[in-house]
Amino acid sequence: MNSPVLSISRRTRQTPFTNRVTENGVKAYSVYNHMLLPTVFDSVEADYRHLKDHVQLWDVACERQVEVRGPDAARLLQMLTPRDLGTLQVGQCYYTPMVDETGGMLNDPLTLKLAADRYWISVADSDLLYWIKGLAYGLRLEVDVDEPDVSPLAIQGPKADDLAARVFGEAVRDIRFFRFARLPFEGHELIVARSGYSKQGGFEIYVDDSDLGEPLWDALFAAGADLGVRAGGPNLIERIEAGLLSYGNDMTRENTPHECGLGKFCQTQSAIGCVGRDALLRVAVEGPIRQIRSLSIAGEAVPPCTGPWTVFAGGEKVGRVTSAAWSPDFETNVAIGMIRMTHWNPGTEVEVDTPDGMRPTTIRDSSFI
């Protein structure tokens, strides 16, 4: 049976890098923030191996920026998240779970502080822009909220520092994790952050002029020829091994940050003004009754996890798996799932109802990498 194809239209926006992605033989896309996100070039497994051994360029322009600027910018930012932003400095990035009035997750973006009154929120796959604009308008805040022409390009892999240094200079090596610097490229200054959706290391370049997209791509490819640079994208296997969550897959508005294992990013007591603060104060005291865990599913490679798989213990439903893939490096099926507190302890044996039948599964104490 042939797999269905994605019909691409103007509603599914292309990016400044789409032409280069096409030239590099993209085989699969996902739709993310109404844009194309390349997901496979050679195969999921081959792309995984290359990412871990070499360096890749990722078109992640779908990580749209919500720019918040004006005298009330800091106030509005704090309304969005239970993470205390009082210590966020200019030049720094914070991973910021963002919640609604019930404490439910709306997004888990990276927030960049560009100036005392200007921020970029690099959003995951949800229409967070409209929630932020609604708060700003409803409360008559003195702030502008919009989506600027900014398209991130990621450099990921163990050779990322070497490649970035050849284009941006040795100063790029001094950028600390979750920090950014403004570095020159063809007469422009681009924000380069040490961040990215993998555990292999690298950078995200915030291209704030679409006309620079292809020149930057070409410069990085030319500079990385001997490093084995290739086009790639967020890799399913590697991100599950690393325990990197996917909003809309592993967590939704039904989940609090604490259920998602993100309690360390919630300083709810001091995050004065967060719209979900009251709801999360109760969760912080009582604790969640379910939480995301990494799991190891026994047996041969599982089929694609296109919908949640129920987790059972003694015939009772105790959770669900939301992401799973065969890991060549760990020689097991790696998975992420939401598990009830009665069965989330490391080493607990459960069963997962996969499309291929029940599989013995073990709860882990941490991610694989």
Side-chain angles (χ1 to χ4, degrees), residues 110-125:
L110 203 63
T111 297
L112 290 72
K113 187 171 183 176
L114 280 66
D117 60 352
R118 187 182 179 210
Y119 300 79
W120 281 350
I121 305 171
S122 190
V123 300
D125 188 19

Side-chain angles (χ1 to χ4, degrees), residues 48 51 198-200 235-242 369:
Y48 159 87
L51 170 63
S198 85
K199 282 289 185 73
Q200 304 311 308
N235 184 269
L236 176 69
I237 305 169
E238 195 272 347
R239 75 101 176 157
I240 298 174
E241 289 179 351
I369 56 176

Side-chain angles (χ1 to χ4, degrees), residues 29-261:
Y29 284 108
S30 182
V31 178
Y32 195 102
N33 283 326
H34 315 288
M35 296 189 77
L36 294 173
L37 170 61
T39 56
V40 180
F41 284 83
D42 189 348
S43 69
V44 175
E45 294 79 9
D47 293 350
Y48 159 87
R49 183 76 276 139
H50 183 270
L51 170 63
K52 284 192 160 185
D53 292 342
H54 300 289
V55 62
Q56 296 179 351
L57 295 190
W58 293 3
D59 173 3
V60 286
C62 60
E63 295 174 358
R64 304 313 297 163
Q65 306 306 298
V66 176
E67 180 169 297
V68 179
R69 64 185 183 277
D72 288 332
R75 178 187 171 193
L76 177 55
L77 260 293
Q78 190 60 79
M79 293 180 67
L80 302 171
T81 178
R83 182 164 189 179
D84 187 347
L85 300 182
T87 56
L88 179 61
Q89 302 172 5
V90 174
Q92 195 171 12
C93 319
Y94 266 9
Y95 180 67
T96 43
M98 294 194 169
V99 300
D100 64 11
E101 74 283 0
T102 71
M105 292 281 294
L106 293 178
N107 209 281
D108 65 327
L110 203 63
T111 297
L112 290 72
K113 187 171 183 176
L114 280 66
D117 60 352
R118 187 182 179 210
Y119 300 79
W120 281 350
I121 305 171
S122 190
V123 300
D125 188 19
S126 79
D127 292 312
L128 192 68
L129 172 68
Y130 303 126
W131 167 254
I132 300 174
K133 289 181 75 71
L135 289 175
Y137 178 77
L139 295 171
R140 298 293 192 270
L141 299 180
E142 193 174 350
V143 67
D144 291 320
V145 179
D146 60 19
E147 180 186 307
D149 177 18
V150 177
S151 299
L153 178 69
I155 308 173
Q156 297 290 294
K159 301 176 184 176
D161 276 51
D162 292 337
L163 176 55
R166 293 179 183 183
V167 173
F168 293 104
E170 290 297 313
V172 78
R173 299 184 189 272
D174 297 329
I175 301 174
R176 293 157 53 195
F177 186 58
F178 275 13
R179 298 271 182 167
F180 65 83
R182 298 176 185 272
L183 299 177
F185 176 76
E186 293 193 356
H188 300 263
E189 276 198 340
L190 297 178
I191 288 178
V192 181
R194 188 177 289 278
S195 59
Y197 195 55
S198 85
K199 282 289 185 73
Q200 304 311 308
F203 303 90
E204 290 177 301
I205 308 160
Y206 291 78
V207 182
D208 58 3
D209 180 344
S210 291
D211 291 339
L212 292 176
E214 291 184 1
L216 177 60
W217 180 284
D218 294 343
L220 288 164
F221 249 80
D226 63 319
L227 299 176
V229 65
R230 277 181 40 187
N235 184 269
L236 176 69
I237 305 169
E238 195 272 347
R239 75 101 176 157
I240 298 174
E241 289 179 351
L244 298 177
L245 306 183
S246 170
Y247 185 81
N249 286 315
D250 303 313
M251 53 186 172
T252 69
R253 193 167 59 87
E254 296 177 358
N255 306 118
T256 67
H258 297 81
E259 291 178 337
C260 301

